[in-house]
Amino acid sequence: MMTIKATELTKTFGNFTAVDHITFAVQKGEIFGFLGANGAGKTTAMRMLCGLSKPTSGEATVAGFDVRTQSEQIKKNIGYMSQKFALYENLKVWENIRLYAGIYGIKGKEIGKRIDMILEQLGFEKEKNTLVKELPLGWKQKLAFSVSIIHEPQIVFLDEPTGGVDPVTRRQFWELIYQAADRGITAFVTTHYMDEAEYCNRVSIMVDGRIDALDTPKNLKYQYNANTMDEVFHMLARKAKTAKS
Amino acid sequence: MKFFTCWQGKRRRQNRKFAAFSSFVHKEFLHIFRDMWTTLILLLLPVLMTVLFGFGITTEIKNGKVAVLDPSKDVATQGIVDKLATSEYFTIAYRVNTEQEIDDLFKQSKIGMAIVFNEKFYENMLHTGQAQILLLADATDPNTASMLNTYAGMLIASYQMELSKNLGTTPLQITPELRLLYNPTMKGSYSTAPGVLGLVLILICAMMTSVAIVKEKQMGTMEVLLVSPLRPITIILAKTIPYFVLSLVNLTSILLLSYFLLEVPFVGSFLLLIAVCLLYIFVALAFGILISTLVNSQLVAMLISGMVLMLPVIMLSGLLFPVNNMPLVLQWFSCVVPARWFITAIKSVMIKGAGFDAIIKEFLILLGMAVVLLGVSIKKFKNRLE
Amino acid sequence: MLKANNISKKYKTVQALSHISFEVGEAEVFGIIGPDGAGKTTLFRILTTLILADEGTATVDGLDVVKDFREIRNRVGYMPGRFSLYQDLSIEENLNFFAKVFNTSVKENYDLVKDIYQQIEPFKKRRAGALSGGMKQKLALCCALIHRPTILFLDEPTTGIDPVSRKELWQMLRRLKEQGITIIVSTPYMDEASLCDRIALIQDGVFLKIDTPDNIVAQFEGTLWGVSADRMSSLLQDLRKEPGVLTAFTFGDTYHVKVDPMKIKKKELATKLEEKGYQEVEIKEIAAGIEDCFMELGVNTKMN
């Protein structure tokens, strides 16, 4: 089953084509890496998929809903987390969880259970009453991820979730993504860590608004005769016609 | 020769320092003009306010300060003065002997009204059956003037009735004659121009300056500027100059509007008027700088300058409500609001044509505020981030 | 060129830095490598005279960071972690402004920034706020260099920047080093360690190690295997259960497994995994990278 399906999806701003006829599909439970240089069009594409911006042309369905007409339903069925916006720093850990549970319409009794479940899963029982701003960055990001999937969405969009996180926590974070994927939640991830690209089931690389490569990391490395995804990325990104603007 | 090269080197260094300073000022102007909406608001707001506040707002007066010139000092004059004194509207603040004194008191804004009796008031009244009282009112604040006049008229009429009853003779006639000083046509707009000036100059100088400085902190650019040869005092000075210029533009537009559209007369010394305005701008800039040294976010800077400066200016400066009409505690509080002194001084100079000697108290208070504020903010200003 | 001695700094309850000492030589590229919140920015601010340390002393270019802070400010270039230029000014205006602030002109030091500036020059009329991450960093670097500093402090210049722009930035740093500029740079990306002459690994306000990248890697103690098989997601848990396996972490498409060679042999592990039904099992001995060392050192200090 396909949870995301984009066909010739395009977005233009004036003369500038940010996203240029991209076509791809993501399966349920897949971890899909969405890579590209700064300004290659990742953010614009992701906004369209989240129902935040309307495509100029082309079609896309997310969780079975049309991004053009059913953005409200889409928002109910996806989770979103980015490095920039995640949690409320001045709320305690459990208050943040309760807040998001409330936002996603989880009912009274169930909220308490979810809070305990998440705290246990992350090993945060002791930090229940800690203000989020006092947590180390890596912990915040793990909590933000758990909160973003509190309503068991079909898909979770992760926009550079691990930037600046220490190596150990970064890996624990990916273990959380794996657990979610095992439960059938599709993860749509952007990252600048190329080793993380290897953790994805499949990876797409955007260059100048187009998807220039899409396959498993293994196949991509084979195809480009490279040892690491880093090399693959550099080979593709160098082809960019604009000077990385 | 050595001295000469040394001197030359020093001059070059100074030139460069000035170049740094002027490029900083240039940058500030760019910030302002790039933010078109804010600039537009800042330039149009004073115009709008001047026009809108041109319509006076009616308020009730209590405790109008009165000076009495009573050469007669007889039963009737004493009776009328007592009548006024016992009413809640008036306080007999001064007893004077010459008209010149009354004039001075008005110019110093110490009284809102003066009562002048003729010589041998009671005697004349008994002989002729009628008498005149001259009521002088300061109409730069037209609401207060007309209110005081009405109350005084009522009180005099009631005294006249009592007197007639007691004497049991033919009805006596006391006619109060009103003379409005400074604003004979009772235009509300007379008090508008000083009030709007008081408000707008605080807004632009204090609020915008503090926000502009705090913005550098918040954007992280202050960090880069601090790690440069620029001294903090240069940064501050360069940041205030554009707002100083902007407030001069507003000063001009408000004065022009007041003169041509609201037809407020300019009887006083223009130079003195500008001097008072510059002093007030100085106080406001100092306030802005002080705020910027205390807070780290633009929002807080905005709130503080809004709550701590703007609101009291509106409430306490006498722009909307006459200061005498306020509870005593608030009146005391209004003493620390620079705008209160500024507005009084401006009214005296602009409309009454008072000279420097009449506003010396206001001037000194404002000067003191400027010195204290600048002193504190320079002391508070940090060379480092924390 | 730079000497820090026993520097400590505390914020309310958090010990941001404890007893940091190090030295940096002339024209050296010194990397301070560690995650966000490790204390990198605090250290940079102390060295650039922005804040005062609670304890310890430091000199930059022979000048004391407390006493001679004015003179230091003439000599250092500083690029904070956050993009700290005027977003509403154009590239050109930003650069001119910073030149004037440092009592110089763009013309005077153009040769130093030429290589970098030429890459963004086509967009010189564009406002800084409208630039992409990579271009912003190039502009910020130009602005930090325009007064020809003797020592350059770059706080996380590559964070949030795509790998290609990152590589370009490092090439620029190498060229600046050739011009004799000392560079202190911090980064959370472990793979950038090899681009520095010497590095310090920092975590929780403590320097775990200071040395050349090669030496740090060479000092890695223990045996490291790279393990991969067909079902990667369950493999990690199974590896961790294995006696003789000390730690196991994901590294790209393989797991880096630190083992006790006395307790387990390669063949033995391969057989065990195959018994559990794994196919395409591959185990090879590998050399540790900086990231392996960091995790190893970090784990050790946490246990102490």
Side-chain angles (χ1 to χ4, degrees):
Chain A
M1 198 188 108
M2 294 299 170
T3 47
I4 301 177
K5 208 168 168 184
T7 319
E8 302 283 308
L9 196 64
T10 303
K11 179 86 184 182
T12 56
F13 299 101
N15 294 326
F16 178 68
T17 307
V19 176
D20 192 0
H21 299 88
I22 57 171
T23 301
F24 67 97
V26 182
Q27 274 179 332
K28 183 175 161 61
E30 192 175 4
I31 299 173
F32 189 81
F34 197 60
L35 310 184
N38 295 119
K42 284 177 307 191
T43 311
T44 314
M46 206 138 127
R47 284 219 175 118
M48 285 193 280
L49 295 176
C50 293
L52 296 172
S53 112
K54 281 213 160 75
T56 313
S57 69
E59 301 296 325
T61 59
V62 172
F65 299 107
D66 190 333
V67 294
R68 256 178 222 286
T69 55
Q70 297 173 295
S71 61
E72 287 312 309
Q73 285 95 321
I74 288 178
K75 285 174 195 167
K76 278 180 202 150
N77 285 284
I78 62 169
Y80 176 81
M81 175 205 157
S82 84
Q83 200 191 354
K84 283 156 214 134
F85 173 76
L87 301 167
Y88 290 93
E89 299 264 304
N90 283 324
L91 293 184
K92 290 173 182 167
V93 167
W94 73 271
E95 287 169 337
N96 262 293
I97 304 176
R98 185 186 60 181
L99 173 73
Y100 280 95
I103 289 175
Y104 285 112
I106 294 168
K107 299 261 155 46
K109 265 191 187 162
E110 183 64 20
I111 290 182
K113 268 194 240 161
R114 293 283 171 105
I115 293 175
D116 292 339
M117 197 182 80
I118 288 179
L119 291 176
E120 192 203 316
Q121 200 179 20
L122 297 174
F124 275 16
E125 288 97 337
K126 272 190 205 151
E127 279 75 22
K128 182 176 176 180
N129 285 313
T130 310
L131 289 179
V132 161
K133 66 175 170 197
E134 284 161 11
L135 293 177
L137 176 73
W139 293 40
K140 276 186 211 169
Q141 297 304 84
K142 285 200 286 185
L143 178 62
F145 176 71
S146 301
V147 163
S148 72
I149 56 167
I150 194 165
H151 54 306
E152 291 288 313
Q154 294 192 42
I155 305 151
V156 61
F157 288 90
L158 305 167
D159 192 3
E160 285 179 45
T162 54
V165 174
D166 71 85
V168 176
T169 317
R170 202 149 66 81
R171 287 173 170 80
Q172 291 169 347
F173 190 93
W174 272 91
E175 285 169 31
L176 288 177
I177 298 181
Y178 275 115
Q179 286 169 18
D182 286 345
R183 292 207 302 273
I185 298 176
T186 308
F188 190 92
V189 195
T190 72
T191 179
H192 286 320
Y193 290 97
M194 284 304 123
D195 59 333
E196 291 187 347
E198 314 260 9
Y199 307 159
C200 301
N201 299 120
R202 282 191 308 147
V203 167
S204 74
I205 299 179
M206 268 187 102
V207 180
D208 291 336
R210 286 167 286 106
I211 289 185
D212 271 18
L214 201 176
D215 211 326
T216 61
K218 206 174 184 178
N219 289 346
L220 283 176
K221 281 183 281 183
Y222 180 75
Q223 187 188 334
Y224 287 89
N225 195 19
N227 286 320
T228 61
M229 280 304 294
D230 195 36
E231 289 172 33
V232 175
F233 186 85
H234 277 87
M235 277 185 231
L236 281 164
R238 282 221 179 90
K239 294 197 306 193
K241 57 175 186 282
T242 52
K244 269 120 354 218
S245 50
Chain B
M1 192 61 208
K2 198 178 165 194
F3 171 77
F4 181 71
T5 41
C6 172
W7 173 79
Q8 217 176 17
K10 196 174 171 192
R11 206 175 73 162
R12 193 175 306 134
R13 265 201 308 282
Q14 263 167 359
N15 280 347
R16 292 208 151 171
K17 275 200 176 144
F18 185 72
F21 179 71
S22 65
S23 98
F24 206 125
V25 174
H26 176 231
K27 179 206 78 138
E28 287 311 310
F29 274 111
L30 285 179
H31 283 320
I32 293 174
F33 293 133
R34 294 273 151 91
D35 194 355
M36 272 314 289
W37 279 111
T38 314
T39 316
L40 221 63
I41 289 171
L42 287 181
L43 290 174
L44 288 181
L45 189 74
V47 174
L48 265 172
M49 282 210 286
T50 313
V51 175
L52 285 179
F53 281 116
F55 306 96
I57 290 159
T58 314
T59 38
E60 205 184 345
I61 314 298
K62 282 180 187 169
N63 209 7
K65 290 212 169 107
V66 176
V68 177
L69 174 57
D70 180 8
S72 176
K73 294 203 176 70
D74 53 37
V75 193
T77 57
Q78 200 51 53
I80 290 173
V81 171
D82 286 348
K83 193 94 194 167
L84 288 176
T86 49
S87 93
E88 57 174 322
Y89 303 115
F90 298 101
T91 316
I92 308 298
Y94 300 94
R95 288 182 179 272
V96 297
N97 297 318
T98 62
E99 298 209 4
Q100 180 59 42
E101 284 175 70
I102 293 180
D103 202 38
D104 289 344
L105 287 170
F106 271 122
K107 283 199 171 151
Q108 290 164 21
S109 300
K110 287 192 172 139
I111 49 170
M113 184 172 235
I115 299 175
V116 181
F117 295 99
N118 286 331
E119 278 182 36
K120 298 181 183 156
F121 181 82
Y122 188 55
E123 248 181 87
N124 283 345
M125 187 164 65
L126 288 180
H127 280 295
T128 59
Q130 52 183 323
Q132 268 101 37
I133 300 175
L134 180 62
L135 296 178
L136 296 161
D138 178 356
T140 46
D141 187 344
N143 300 319
T144 313
S146 85
M147 217 67 80
L148 286 175
N149 176 41
T150 317
Y151 291 140
M154 273 158 52
L155 291 168
I156 292 168
S158 92
Y159 177 75
Q160 174 197 315
M161 296 238 302
E162 282 170 35
L163 200 64
S164 305
K165 219 193 279 167
N166 289 349
L167 292 172
T169 54
T170 44
L172 292 165
Q173 188 71 39
I174 306 176
T175 330
E177 191 183 316
L178 179 72
R179 196 171 297 160
L180 293 168
L181 298 175
Y182 315 119
N183 183 9
T185 45
M186 297 273 275
K187 280 193 177 162
S189 51
Y190 279 26
S191 59
T192 306
V196 171
L197 271 176
L199 199 61
V200 166
L201 295 181
I202 274 277
L203 173 83
I204 290 173
C205 299
M207 189 187 262
M208 296 312 292
T209 310
S210 63
V211 167
I213 297 175
V214 171
K215 190 176 176 190
E216 300 251 3
K217 284 198 204 175
Q218 217 177 359
M219 297 297 292
T221 42
M222 191 57 101
E223 218 172 313
V224 181
L225 293 179
L226 280 178
V227 187
S228 81
L230 278 183
R231 300 206 172 213
I233 191 79
T234 318
I235 301 176
I236 297 297
L237 215 59
K239 289 206 80 84
T240 50
I241 283 183
Y243 294 103
F244 179 72
V245 172
L246 208 60
S247 42
L248 291 186
V249 173
N250 281 325
L251 179 61
T252 317
S253 70
I254 295 172
L255 291 181
L256 287 177
L257 268 178
S258 307
Y259 188 70
F260 288 109
L261 190 75
L262 302 176
E263 296 171 341
V264 177
F266 281 67
V267 285
S269 149
F270 184 69
L271 274 180
L272 188 60
L273 176 75
I274 296 300
V276 174
C277 289
L278 287 180
L279 178 62
Y280 181 66
I281 289 174
F282 205 50
V283 175
L285 286 175
F287 240 123
I289 295 169
L290 182 65
I291 292 172
S292 72
T293 60
L294 298 176
V295 304
N296 285 315
S297 100
Q298 292 178 68
L299 186 69
V300 180
M302 198 102 128
L303 283 176
I304 290 191
S305 38
M307 301 302 281
V308 178
L309 296 178
M310 292 269 287
L311 240 119
V313 172
I314 298 173
M315 303 293 293
L316 303 177
S317 61
L319 181 62
L320 290 189
F321 320 104
V323 176
N324 337 342
N325 206 19
M326 258 179 248
L328 212 53
V329 183
L330 279 183
Q331 284 194 43
W332 290 337
F333 182 62
S334 79
C335 292
V336 300
V337 178
R340 184 202 153 151
W341 306 107
F342 169 72
I343 290 171
T344 317
I346 283 294
K347 273 187 187 171
S348 301
V349 174
M350 198 159 103
I351 303 167
K352 299 181 200 164
F356 181 66
D357 51 331
I359 57 160
I360 197 147
K361 178 173 141 207
E362 285 79 10
F363 198 86
L364 286 179
I365 289 176
L366 286 175
L367 194 66
M369 285 178 168
V371 170
V372 169
L373 286 173
L374 265 184
V376 172
S377 38
I378 285 173
K379 206 152 184 197
K380 278 247 137 209
F381 201 86
K382 295 156 212 151
N383 246 325
R384 300 175 200 273
L385 271 183
E386 48 177 28
Chain C
M1 199 63 202
L2 183 144
K3 215 178 226 176
N5 187 20
N6 200 30
I7 285 182
S8 295
K9 176 81 188 173
K10 197 171 182 178
Y11 292 116
K12 283 178 196 157
T13 55
V14 187
Q15 188 71 41
L17 292 173
S18 28
H19 311 293
I20 299 285
S21 300
F22 68 108
E23 277 178 42
V24 181
E26 201 141 319
E28 190 174 18
V29 176
F30 189 86
I32 296 174
I33 296 173
D36 284 6
K40 301 191 297 282
T41 300
T42 306
L43 181 59
F44 271 63
R45 286 182 171 171
I46 290 173
L47 296 174
T48 52
T49 77
L50 278 170
I51 57 175
L52 298 171
D54 298 337
E55 214 186 301
T57 54
T59 58
V60 173
D61 209 353
L63 299 160
D64 186 87
V65 290
V66 182
K67 278 208 312 270
D68 310 319
F69 74 96
R70 287 224 180 276
E71 186 48 36
I72 290 182
R73 288 178 185 186
N74 276 314
R75 298 196 196 173
V76 302
Y78 173 47
M79 194 171 137
R82 244 179 340 152
F83 178 65
S84 298
L85 299 175
Y86 297 101
Q87 313 253 3
D88 53 346
L89 301 189
S90 68
I91 289 185
E92 219 178 6
E93 286 162 346
N94 265 299
L95 191 62
N96 276 321
F97 172 70
F98 281 102
K100 290 273 169 56
V101 158
F102 282 93
N103 303 323
T104 178
S105 67
V106 175
K107 224 166 87 191
E108 230 168 303
N109 294 318
Y110 188 68
D111 59 305
L112 191 64
V113 296
K114 195 176 143 202
D115 281 350
I116 310 165
Y117 189 62
Q118 275 175 344
Q119 300 178 38
I120 51 174
E121 208 175 1
F123 314 98
K124 66 182 180 188
K125 299 273 179 221
R126 204 185 280 182
R127 290 185 192 181
L131 299 174
S132 72
M135 274 168 66
K136 275 182 183 166
Q137 291 309 74
K138 282 172 198 165
L139 173 60
L141 189 57
C142 285
C143 291
L145 279 170
I146 197 66
H147 60 298
R148 203 176 279 278
T150 52
I151 183 163
L152 190 58
F153 289 90
L154 306 172
D155 193 6
E156 298 207 11
T158 53
T159 294
I161 308 287
D162 67 75
V164 176
S165 302
R166 248 158 69 190
K167 201 154 270 179
E168 284 172 0
L169 200 93
W170 277 98
Q171 282 161 2
M172 291 171 206
L173 297 188
R174 296 308 300 185
R175 280 200 292 274
L176 290 172
K177 171 195 158 77
E178 283 159 24
Q179 305 214 33
I181 294 177
T182 309
I183 299 169
I184 319 268
V185 54
S186 72
T187 175
Y189 296 100
M190 304 285 153
D191 55 343
E192 291 175 355
S194 58
L195 303 164
C196 304
D197 297 326
R198 283 193 310 139
I199 56 170
L201 300 177
I202 184 172
Q203 184 161 332
D204 299 328
V206 179
F207 272 2
L208 303 173
K209 200 134 211 172
I210 309 169
D211 213 328
T212 62
D214 288 345
N215 281 347
I216 287 182
V217 168
Q219 284 164 23
F220 184 83
E221 285 168 13
T223 313
L224 203 62
W225 292 346
V227 182
S228 65
D230 59 341
R231 286 179 291 118
M232 288 297 274
S233 56
S234 57
L235 178 63
L236 191 61
Q237 299 310 322
D238 284 335
L239 280 170
R240 283 176 181 166
K241 277 182 223 152
E242 215 51 59
V245 169
L246 302 171
T247 60
F249 290 111
T250 48
F251 265 84
D253 57 353
T254 55
Y255 293 127
H256 283 193
V257 182
K258 195 185 171 194
V259 293
D260 181 349
M262 307 300 286
K263 285 194 183 148
I264 194 159
K265 296 276 176 281
K266 250 190 274 183
K267 273 219 174 111
E268 212 178 313
L269 180 64
T271 327
K272 275 188 176 174
L273 290 176
E274 269 154 15
E275 275 167 13
K276 282 188 178 163
Y278 288 98
Q279 287 174 3
E280 300 168 44
V281 175
E282 236 181 278
I283 302 175
K284 50 187 173 195
E285 187 149 352
I286 52 168
I290 289 290
E291 198 155 359
D292 295 298
C293 297
F294 187 91
M295 289 197 280
E296 178 82 4
L297 292 162
V299 168
N300 284 345
T301 50
K302 269 190 184 155
M303 280 171 178
N304 291 341

